[in-house]
Amino acid sequence: MTPPAQAAACGDQVIGNADFETGTAPWTGSTAAIVAGTTAEPAHGGTRLARLDGTGVTHTDTLSQSVTVPSGCSSATLTFWSHIDTKETTSSTKYDTLAVQIGSDTVASYSNLDKNTGYVQRSVDVSKYIGQTVTLTLTGREDSSLATNFALDDFSLTTGTGNPPPPPDSTRTPINPAYTVNLTSNSAGDTWTGHQSVTFTNGSATALPEVYLRLWDNYHGSCPSTPITVTNLTGGTASALTVGCTAMKVTLPTPLAQNQSATIAFDLSIVVPSGADRFGNDGGFNMIGNALPVLAVRDGSGWHLDPYTNNGESFYTVISDFDVTLVHPTSLLTPATGTSTETTSGSTTTTHAVAAKVRDFAWAAGPFAKISKTSGKGVRVNVYSVSGISSSSATSMLNLAADAVDVHSGRFGDYPYGELDAVIDNNFWFGGMEYPGFVMDLVSNVALPHEIAHQWFYGIVGDDEYNSPWLDEGFTDYATDLYRGVTGSGCSISWASSAEKLTNSMAYWDAHSSRYSTVVYNYGKCTLHDLRRLIGDTAMTNLLKSYAQSHWYGVSTVAEFKAAAQAAAGSTDLTSFWTSHRVEG
């Protein structure tokens, strides 16, 4: 009698015929794409590989198989080797593509732009699928001319042993917020009144009896006299403001079950205070960041109702859509998140800004000087300068911004928003501030690439900025070093106390503010430089790009990054590295 097959356990490799050496099963689909290696296109290991496309005509190849990821494991990582060669000559257009899917989720994607010499190892964190049986699918799509070969070999989907992972992204709720905003300003652009609504869905299996609005900029007023005022709310019952007047609980008429949607709406008033700040008026130039009320996140830890921090950021949001209409005097320009169109009637202009798949919305209003250009990769870049910024400085910042967005795109994945606005004001007390498609900055060759790198780390790859500030500030400072050609060879880490850790929250850093920049920014990027030196430049480059792609429009956690880094490190155990660099989570 044949004994029953033993279920996979944590630590096992769960992909069948992962090196294509034993025929085609259990792969299905375009099994003719599983071929013997040749001198021109060898296998990575052994004698066989999967070669998708390469026909030079409109063509699609797919390979798939069902895999069961064991439950109770600490992590799950998909790795494989790929060699992409192409006859396409473009440096900007993805004509031929390769998608790696688990279920309906695309966890990694590549194209003719990712061509390389020889094989490159790819690594994707797939911990969210622990405990599930899913279909792994490889899809190569080719257009009508100029062939691209996607050669793939030596797949592995392995799980780590130890404690189970943190709650998966799917437990974050509410999801898919869609904000619609209509505001009209006074003549100075420092007071805005109108209406806002938000439609959202409960993505969790746990019912949603309430939501919370975060009125972040009420930190800048004296509670209960606040610069952000919400009145006449419909779709729920509003409670009194809490958390320093920055949180408003809205009890829904009936709890939302999973996948049910609801809408709340309210009248909104915004009064911009005096001062050159991310929310402030500097000599008639209004910076309006974090002014729109946004939904708080409930995840496995409950509702995130952290306080505002002026030392860093508190903002933790899921990907959302914004449709914002701003009516204002024509004399005021209004750079904003998203892509804007303007309609002018007499002395009044209506700016209509649409932003899809962003975490927040910000704008400015004032008599700015504006210059624009299109980057090499096709991003429209606009620089808005306050009075006192020379035309040469503005032009320098414009050229820098256009170059930085393209270089970061090459490292982490193409900038997806089409347009980028930079507001330049040397009176800012801070170096710069990031919002999706919109940054505030000094005239600085260092700060501007940093803020633009935030488009990826915080914007596209989200994080809980209050509880894990290293995941955006440390990563963004590292990206800035890479952009500037700084190797981090002089990195030195010296801890001030046993309680000081790279992964401490803003609650700790607000209590130890003199160490915040040193540790989160400087030690943060040094940790990534040290990791690069440990696992190698190529592995680090591939790690950050694949990690960004696998968390594109999602939320990153320390545990997920550690798992992805360990997969990239291969046989090099990173346990002591995380301990010495005090990366906990």
Side-chain angles (χ1 to χ4, degrees):
M1 186 170 64
T2 303
Q6 188 172 1
C10 297
D12 289 350
Q13 203 290 96
V14 298
I15 297 178
N17 190 18
D19 57 5
F20 308 106
E21 296 297 311
T22 57
T24 59
W27 296 98
T28 61
S30 306
T31 52
I34 299 176
V35 297
T38 64
T39 302
E41 193 72 84
H44 172 259
T47 61
R48 294 168 63 82
L49 71 152
R51 191 174 66 207
L52 278 59
D53 296 326
T55 65
V57 298
T58 303
H59 183 78
T60 298
D61 279 328
T62 63
L63 287 172
S64 64
Q65 67 168 273
S66 176
V67 295
T68 299
V69 187
S71 60
C73 307
S74 61
S75 61
T77 304
L78 173 69
T79 61
F80 58 97
W81 292 82
S82 73
H83 171 217
I84 302 172
D85 61 78
T86 182
K87 293 182 179 179
E88 300 283 1
T89 58
T90 178
S91 61
S92 60
T93 304
K94 298 178 181 179
Y95 289 116
D96 310 315
T97 61
L98 170 70
V100 181
Q101 291 180 288
I102 293 187
S104 60
D105 298 335
T106 299
V107 297
S109 60
Y110 308 95
S111 73
N112 48 282
L113 300 182
D114 298 302
K115 63 184 178 181
N116 54 283
T117 302
Y119 279 88
V120 173
Q121 188 176 35
R122 313 289 189 179
S123 178
V124 183
D125 179 29
V126 293
S127 298
K128 66 181 290 185
Y129 306 101
I130 288 173
Q132 300 180 41
T133 296
V134 293
T135 300
L136 168 65
T137 303
L138 316 172
T139 303
R141 290 188 174 90
E142 197 170 27
D143 74 349
S144 58
S145 64
L146 299 177
T148 297
N149 281 292
F150 297 102
L152 308 171
D153 204 357
D154 294 336
F155 278 74
S156 175
L157 200 165
T158 55
T159 49
T161 58
N163 295 325
D169 285 9
S170 59
T171 65
R172 295 185 178 96
T173 199
I175 60 172
N176 303 326
Y179 297 88
T180 302
V181 183
N182 291 273
L183 297 173
T184 300
S185 82
N186 64 350
S187 60
D190 59 11
T191 300
W192 298 78
T193 56
H195 193 73
Q196 177 174 332
S197 66
V198 55
T199 299
F200 52 89
T201 301
N202 179 18
S204 170
T206 303
L208 190 67
E210 76 277 322
V211 295
Y212 283 85
L213 290 172
R214 296 313 307 261
L215 287 66
W216 285 115
D217 281 337
N218 282 348
Y219 167 85
H220 298 277
S222 56
C223 185
S225 176
T226 57
I228 311 298
T229 306
V230 167
T231 55
N232 300 324
L233 186 140
T234 60
T237 303
S239 298
L241 294 174
T242 57
V243 196
C245 281
T246 67
M248 174 185 284
K249 180 180 177 179
V250 178
T251 303
L252 302 175
T254 57
L256 284 186
Q258 188 172 26
N259 298 324
Q260 286 187 329
S261 300
T263 301
I264 60 173
F266 45 86
D267 292 333
L268 177 64
S269 172
I270 299 169
V271 179
V272 182
S274 178
D277 209 329
R278 52 194 179 189
F279 180 59
N281 178 291
D282 179 25
F285 296 92
N286 299 279
M287 315 302 164
I288 312 173
N290 304 111
L292 295 182
V294 293
L295 292 171
V297 176
R298 190 189 77 184
D299 60 19
S301 301
W303 284 105
H304 283 256
L305 301 175
D306 301 304
Y308 186 100
T309 174
N310 206 36
N311 200 24
E313 287 83 42
S314 304
F315 318 124
Y316 175 25
T317 52
V318 298
I319 283 292
S320 309
D321 294 337
F322 286 83
D323 188 307
V324 179
T325 300
L326 304 171
V327 181
H328 54 90
T330 303
S331 58
L332 303 180
L333 300 187
T334 52
T337 293
T339 301
S340 296
T341 56
E342 294 184 342
T343 305
T344 297
S345 176
S347 61
T348 299
T349 293
T350 299
T351 299
H352 182 210
V354 177
K357 297 188 181 301
V358 297
R359 297 186 190 277
D360 201 352
F361 186 96
W363 76 100
F368 296 99
K370 176 187 177 183
I371 55 175
S372 305
K373 71 179 298 183
T374 300
S375 77
K377 285 182 173 287
V379 179
R380 186 64 174 171
V381 180
N382 307 302
V383 163
Y384 295 81
S385 303
V386 304
S387 54
I389 303 295
S390 69
S391 60
S392 61
S393 292
T395 300
S396 174
M397 292 300 97
L398 179 66
N399 293 333
L400 180 64
D403 185 62
V405 73
D406 281 359
V407 172
H408 293 327
S409 288
R411 287 201 171 97
F412 310 120
D414 285 347
Y415 178 78
Y417 300 127
E419 186 171 320
L420 175 65
D421 294 339
V423 175
I424 308 299
D425 185 342
N426 279 335
N427 290 330
F428 290 139
W429 61 268
F430 49 90
M433 181 61 196
E434 70 281 359
Y435 296 97
F438 178 98
V439 299
M440 304 174 188
D441 223 297
L442 310 171
V443 175
S444 169
N445 291 333
V446 179
L448 188 57
H450 174 98
E451 303 312 328
I452 293 173
H454 271 304
Q455 299 302 309
W456 283 265
F457 296 105
Y458 141 76
I460 298 166
V461 180
D463 65 292
D464 178 349
E465 292 188 299
Y466 188 84
N467 289 295
S468 299
W470 170 62
L471 287 176
D472 58 275
E473 296 298 357
F475 281 55
T476 301
D477 240 22
Y478 177 74
T480 306
D481 273 4
L482 295 181
Y483 175 75
R484 300 179 62 232
V486 176
T487 65
S489 59
C491 279
S492 176
I493 296 176
S494 178
W495 303 106
S497 72
S498 60
E500 188 173 83
K501 299 177 177 65
L502 181 58
T503 46
N504 281 345
S505 74
M506 290 307 305
Y508 179 89
W509 300 119
D510 281 345
H512 303 81
S513 58
S514 66
R515 294 287 291 171
Y516 167 64
S517 178
T518 298
V519 176
V520 173
Y521 287 70
N522 295 335
Y523 293 3
K525 69 180 179 183
C526 281
T527 294
L528 295 173
H529 280 299
D530 288 347
L531 179 62
R532 172 179 53 80
R533 281 185 278 269
L534 180 62
I535 69 175
D537 290 357
T538 299
M540 188 67 173
T541 297
N542 294 338
L543 165 63
L544 287 182
K545 189 162 190 177
S546 65
Y547 189 75
Q549 290 173 341
S550 64
H551 288 77
W552 204 261
Y553 299 141
V555 174
S556 169
T557 67
V558 173
E560 289 167 345
F561 180 73
K562 287 171 67 176
Q566 181 58 72
S571 60
T572 301
D573 189 342
L574 297 181
T575 302
S576 61
F577 177 86
W578 302 129
T579 299
S580 65
H581 288 80
R582 300 193 180 183
V583 179
E584 298 183 0

